[in-house]
Amino acid sequence: MSRIVGWLRAGYPHGVPDQDYLPMLALLRRRLTDEEVKQVGKALRRARVIPADKIDIGVGITNVTDELPSETDMRRVAARLQKKGWPVEEWETSTQ
């Protein structure tokens, strides 16, 4: 958090203008906590989703966070599942 505050202060040395607050907050995306990554992985294993794919993992994240998943978080969950020996289907990284 301190790095973000430092970055903002460097970009706005005289303070953030009122009209810039909402667009700036929209850019700050939420990231799954390590505990949420574990929670999604456990839920997929309990549901016996074999192999877990991008859609399954995305739905699992949405069920836990009530938000759309990021590519990074989906890959973190996939890595957690693989670490636990669970089969995960590979997918292409979006190029958009």
Side-chain angles (χ1 to χ4, degrees):
M1 184 61 113
S2 63
R3 288 183 4 202
I4 292 172
V5 171
W7 177 77
L8 288 173
R9 286 186 178 149
Y12 294 99
H14 302 292
V16 177
D18 289 341
Q19 71 273 12
D20 288 353
Y21 276 107
L22 287 178
M24 191 172 2
L25 289 175
L27 293 174
L28 299 175
R29 257 189 112 148
R30 182 184 185 284
R31 180 175 180 223
L32 287 180
T33 65
D34 291 340
E35 190 55 43
E36 289 170 327
V37 169
K38 290 177 190 176
Q39 185 179 353
V40 173
K42 285 179 184 177
L44 291 170
R45 290 192 314 269
R46 274 194 307 270
R48 297 209 166 282
V49 177
I50 299 174
D53 65 15
K54 184 177 185 175
I55 294 171
D56 298 319
I57 292 170
V59 169
I61 291 172
T62 301
N63 288 340
V64 168
T65 64
D66 225 13
E67 295 178 12
L68 292 175
S70 71
E71 182 80 18
T72 302
D73 283 336
M74 289 191 293
R75 293 207 178 272
R76 288 176 62 214
V77 171
R80 173 77 184 178
L81 287 167
Q82 288 171 328
K83 180 180 174 185
K84 294 293 185 177
W86 202 258
V88 175
E89 201 172 278
E90 292 294 320
W91 68 80
E92 293 294 319
T93 301
S94 137
T95 57
Q96 297 177 3

